[in-house]
Each structure stands twice: as C-alpha cells, then as structure tokens.
Amino acid sequence: MVTKEEKYARKRFLMDLGLKDHPSLSEPSQRVQSAYRIAHACFDCRKSYKIEIEFAGETPNVKCPQCSENLHYMGRSFKTPKQTDVKQWAKVKKLYEAGFVFFSYRHFPEAEPLPERLQDVDDFLARNPDHPMKVG
C-alpha cells in the first residue's frame, strides 16, 4: 500500500516537472495547459511521430529525425501502419494528398468510413468530394 507521504512526493515531483497543475493556481485561466501531441508522418521513412502543438491545426515546421524531410500533420486519430506495410502507407499518403486528415468519427457518424485498402481509395475519393474529414 502506498503511503500519503509517497503520494505527496510523487505529486510534488510531477508538479516540479510541469506535468501536473500547481495547487495554488485556482483560476482555470491560470492553470498550466499541456499541449496536444498530434501524429505527424514521414512518408519516405514510413514512420510516425507525436509532435506537441499548442492549438489544433497549428503545424510546426518539423523535420523527420531520420531523413530530414518535412513531417505531415495526420490528425489525432491516425493509426500508424507497420513500417513494412507499403500498401497501407501508400493508401495513407494518397488520402493525405487528397486533403484528408484522421479525426474521430464521433462528430460525423453519418460519414462514410475511410477505405481500408489502397485499391478502394480512388472510388472512395470519387464518391466523397465533400467528406467531413477532408480539410484541403
């Protein structure tokens, strides 16, 4: 069983790191807000990195640590394919280039789900010119 002293020491440690709000900041506007960590992908290396951003849609100019190419903003619900799954990465790239980002469907329950296979992308794009996940 964890003692109160251990809990307090752990909480104090997290506050000192800036990962937990300080108890003296009572106003919501004064609370420390943690930045979102949003998936950004490198299509050349077929890797994804979570990058901190302050506001949704704000994309910092971040380079891939492996190849130094620009990372691409993928959205909060992006599921990274395996690095060896070339077809899935080609599908993701094709959707990204068509202006799609990956968000939750809870706000768009009537929207057609994104295709699961590369061969279905062209038909999907033709049927959904105004899909809610398409931002560009």
Side-chain angles (χ1 to χ4, degrees):
M1 188 159 138
V2 179
T3 66
K4 286 184 180 181
E5 290 80 21
E6 290 172 320
K7 284 184 182 180
Y8 178 77
R10 214 179 299 150
K11 185 175 181 181
R12 191 84 203 130
F13 176 73
L14 292 173
M15 283 190 292
D16 290 343
L17 289 176
L19 299 175
K20 206 141 181 67
D21 290 343
H22 194 278
S24 66
L25 300 176
S26 57
E27 292 296 317
S29 61
Q30 293 178 339
R31 289 193 184 126
V32 176
Q33 298 291 323
S34 60
Y36 283 118
R37 294 177 60 86
I38 306 291
H40 288 67
C42 176
F43 296 124
D44 295 332
C45 298
R46 296 190 305 273
K47 289 187 175 183
S48 173
Y49 302 92
K50 296 256 183 160
I51 307 294
E52 284 189 12
I53 62 173
E54 293 295 323
F55 303 101
E58 174 190 312
T59 304
N61 188 15
V62 181
K63 304 283 184 186
C64 175
Q66 187 168 337
C67 71
S68 299
E69 291 295 322
N70 285 333
L71 292 177
H72 305 283
Y73 178 88
M74 301 306 288
R76 292 189 71 190
S77 296
F78 179 66
K79 303 287 188 247
T80 308
K82 289 184 179 180
Q83 191 175 16
T84 57
D85 195 345
V86 177
K87 286 185 178 181
Q88 280 296 86
W89 275 101
K91 177 198 82 170
V92 167
K93 184 177 182 181
K94 196 168 196 174
L95 288 169
Y96 176 82
E97 289 173 344
F100 283 84
V101 289
F102 299 83
F103 293 110
S104 170
Y105 273 89
R106 88 183 124 135
H107 298 296
F108 313 108
E110 72 287 346
E112 181 180 349
L114 296 175
E116 293 186 19
R117 301 179 309 171
L118 174 61
Q119 64 196 39
D120 300 331
V121 172
D122 290 331
D123 290 336
F124 172 82
L125 294 175
R127 284 191 316 271
N128 295 285
D130 298 321
H131 196 279
M133 301 275 190
K134 188 173 181 178
V135 295

